[in-house]
Amino acid sequence: MILSRNDKCWCGSGLKYKKCHLDFDKKLETLKNKGCVVPTKDLIKNKEQIEGIRKSAKINNGLLDLVSENIKEGMTTEDIDKLAYDFTIAHGGIPATLNYDGFPKSICTSINDEVCHGIPSKDVVLKNGDIINVDATTMLNGYYSDASRMFTIGKVSDEAKKIVEITKECLNKGIEAIKPWGFLGDIGAAIQEHAEKNGCSVVRDYGGHGVGLQMHEEPFVFHFGTKGTDMILAPGMVFTIEPMINGGSYEIDIDEDNGWTASTVDGSLSAQWEHTVLVTEDGLEIIAK
Ligand code: MF3
Ligand code: CO
Ligand code: CO
């Protein structure tokens, strides 16, 4: 359908097309004609949707703050899961992870050589020296936000401290690589460069993802790759960056018994940090962290 200047914009803002996404569409059209991969319209969030995702993120951020205040040696990962579940429900949200594709808990808890999708359990007790990723996705009024953080338990080794720090820097490098009308591939390139420069490797089998109206949307966000490639980053896109960085090889194995938990094949440590970000006209906004 071709919109006239005075029609209502396709984004659902209620504004006239000429006051809303007309220039945006022209810009994307020009890039597409140059051979660039451009996002489809369903990946562009309007103001109302962005506000919905921000509200969901407020719960998700609060949940991770609560975990950070309470996590300690001797706790089980199921205790953390309960904190997360209770907080989310008390604030009117729904833990999106619970029952997602059969996942049995409200958060993922991945310890030491576990890369991601660790399942909280009453049998897993946090020990002095552990590093743990807690990953939470919250749904509120149909809007999703997703973030994860690393925590160190007691006194951890220098090696463990290093992988946690390098991985956080990788996330930040990835975020700094976001330029409105730039390339998605710039993000992965920046992350890979920083990880490998520091003797670490980037997990290949998982990536970031669009998020907002569903838990996982297009595009897939690679954490390795080449500058100037992949999809154009247009204002209104919301996605996660969530590098999983290993101390040794990037190869992973999935636990055959539970079908979820990924661990490093060589037993090396792994860390992950995740933010949900919005591309704006003049940069970006970190929505969930
Ligand atoms: N929060 C995870 C992500 O960052 C998804 C977890 S899916 C689950 O994409 F089923 F394992 F919980
Ligand atoms: Co997540
Ligand atoms: Co995610």
Side-chain angles (χ1 to χ4, degrees), residues 135 137 146 274:
D135 190 340
T137 309
D146 184 5
E274 173 175 29

Side-chain angles (χ1 to χ4, degrees), residues 97 108 133 135-137 145-148 209 216 240 242 272 274:
T97 300
C108 299
N133 174 274
D135 190 340
T137 309
S145 58
D146 184 5
S148 79
H209 50 89
H216 290 136
T240 72
E242 49 180 298
Q272 178 180 29
E274 173 175 29

Side-chain angles (χ1 to χ4, degrees), residues 26-57:
K26 283 186 182 160
K27 209 156 183 171
L28 270 195
E29 187 63 23
T30 307
L31 289 163
K32 195 174 162 187
N33 291 337
K34 280 195 205 159
C36 295
V37 182
V38 300
T40 49
K41 286 191 169 58
D42 55 327
L43 302 188
I44 309 303
K45 269 71 178 178
N46 67 25
K47 281 213 170 91
E48 184 185 338
Q49 293 166 332
I50 291 165
E51 202 37 48
I53 301 167
R54 283 197 194 105
K55 284 189 180 141
S56 145

Side-chain angles (χ1 to χ4, degrees), residues 103-131:
F103 192 85
K105 296 287 176 176
S106 297
I107 50 171
C108 299
T109 48
S110 308
I111 301 180
N112 299 335
D113 64 333
E114 291 174 351
V115 172
C116 64
H117 299 165
I119 304 178
S121 158
K122 61 179 175 23
D123 299 328
V124 177
V125 181
L126 296 182
K127 307 185 304 299
N128 182 48
D130 281 345
I131 59 170

Side-chain angles (χ1 to χ4, degrees), residues 211-238:
V211 63
L213 309 184
Q214 295 173 58
M215 176 151 137
H216 290 136
E217 302 174 6
E218 295 293 314
F220 187 86
V221 178
F222 287 91
H223 298 127
F224 60 97
T226 312
K227 262 189 187 168
T229 64
D230 209 341
M231 193 180 277
I232 294 294
L233 296 174
M237 287 173 73
V238 177

Side-chain angles (χ1 to χ4, degrees), residues 12-31:
S13 63
L15 297 173
K16 287 186 173 164
Y17 185 42
K18 66 182 178 191
K19 293 260 177 202
C20 199
H21 279 97
L22 174 62
D23 290 341
F24 175 102
D25 281 348
K26 283 186 182 160
K27 209 156 183 171
L28 270 195
E29 187 63 23
T30 307
L31 289 163

